[in-house]
Amino acid sequence: RAVVVGAGYIAVELAGVLQALGTETSLVVRKERALRNFDDMISETLDTEMERHGITIFRNTNGVSKISLDDQTALKTVVLNNGEVIKDVDVVIMAAGRRPAVESLNLKNVGVKQKDGEYISVNEYSETNIDGVYAVGDVCGNVELTPMAIAAGRRLADRLFGHPSLQNAKVSYQNVPTVVFSHPPIGTIGLTEKEAIKKYGEENIKVYKSKF
């Protein structure tokens, strides 16, 4: 029996894999469902499908309060912040988010600015506030996807070491495609419906839906 804690890519992917392999799997989410930042249609459909595949979802938990171990059985008890308790658990997987691993860099010693969550603050050219110090990838907290980190690194290398025609090279964080290897898989690109309405106004948005 496994408990996966989290509501993002890794949590739903691992929960789906474990359940498909025959493990009795529970997913603990802090709010109402997983992938809340995706379109409602996507996150709601995933929610329905996860339950249909047998995953038990603990909602509106506000996270885990504590995990205790039974020394005799080696099983764990997971206590949630909303008072719910999950007993007789073999494995607990924490996938509740990450923080940039930048402490060892001693950024404050050289004055590199950081944002909330200890992310490194950079401009559109991956430059920090200190000349000659750059940052790309997840430590910047823009789009935390491996291909985006690679793209940002390549554009920075182009600008610093490439042909003069590339002196203004920079990565675009607009319309980034992303895939979630959940069950079922999810693919999406661009603004969500809510983001589009906020940016362009509801009267300027048309939504088409199809299920098959």
Side-chain angles (χ1 to χ4, degrees), residues 67-137:
I67 302 172
S68 58
L69 174 68
D70 187 315
D71 292 330
Q72 293 184 337
T73 65
L75 295 176
K76 302 163 186 68
T77 298
V78 181
V79 180
L80 309 180
N81 281 321
N82 66 350
E84 291 184 277
V85 178
I86 310 173
K87 297 181 179 180
D88 301 326
V89 177
D90 296 287
V91 177
V92 180
I93 299 176
M94 301 298 293
R98 301 169 293 170
R99 299 185 71 175
V102 296
E103 290 183 9
S104 62
L105 299 178
N106 296 316
L107 298 175
K108 293 180 181 178
N109 289 354
V110 293
V112 173
K113 290 184 179 179
Q114 292 175 262
K115 303 179 287 188
D116 290 342
E118 299 183 8
Y119 290 103
I120 299 174
S121 182
V122 294
N123 62 16
E124 60 185 335
Y125 293 102
S126 300
E127 299 169 328
T128 69
N129 61 301
I130 303 298
D131 289 340
V133 179
Y134 309 91
V136 299

Side-chain angles (χ1 to χ4, degrees), residues 121-172:
S121 182
V122 294
N123 62 16
E124 60 185 335
Y125 293 102
S126 300
E127 299 169 328
T128 69
N129 61 301
I130 303 298
D131 289 340
V133 179
Y134 309 91
V136 299
D138 291 2
V139 293
C140 301
N142 293 319
V143 177
E144 297 182 41
L145 297 171
T146 301
M148 282 306 306
I150 294 171
R154 286 175 174 169
R155 296 296 82 75
L156 177 60
D158 287 343
R159 188 167 62 81
L160 295 179
F161 310 113
H163 190 272
S165 63
L166 299 172
Q167 62 181 344
N168 293 318
K170 61 181 179 180
V171 72
S172 172

Side-chain angles (χ1 to χ4, degrees), residues 6-123:
Y9 289 66
I10 303 301
V12 299
E13 289 174 355
L14 290 178
V17 169
L18 291 170
Q19 185 69 28
L21 290 172
T23 301
E24 183 183 339
T25 305
S26 297
L27 179 67
V28 175
V29 296
R30 195 162 51 88
K31 296 188 178 179
E32 70 278 6
R33 61 178 181 269
L35 301 185
R36 296 185 309 276
N37 293 330
F38 283 63
D39 268 300
D40 288 343
M41 180 182 70
I42 292 175
S43 60
E44 289 171 1
T45 300
L46 174 64
D47 193 81
T48 300
E49 287 298 305
M50 285 194 296
E51 288 194 319
R52 189 175 70 83
H53 281 89
I55 296 173
T56 301
I57 302 175
F58 290 83
R59 310 173 188 278
N60 299 305
T61 66
N62 201 29
V64 173
S65 173
K66 65 178 181 179
I67 302 172
S68 58
L69 174 68
D70 187 315
D71 292 330
Q72 293 184 337
T73 65
L75 295 176
K76 302 163 186 68
T77 298
V78 181
V79 180
L80 309 180
N81 281 321
N82 66 350
E84 291 184 277
V85 178
I86 310 173
K87 297 181 179 180
D88 301 326
V89 177
D90 296 287
V91 177
V92 180
I93 299 176
M94 301 298 293
R98 301 169 293 170
R99 299 185 71 175
V102 296
E103 290 183 9
S104 62
L105 299 178
N106 296 316
L107 298 175
K108 293 180 181 178
N109 289 354
V110 293
V112 173
K113 290 184 179 179
Q114 292 175 262
K115 303 179 287 188
D116 290 342
E118 299 183 8
Y119 290 103
I120 299 174
S121 182
V122 294
N123 62 16

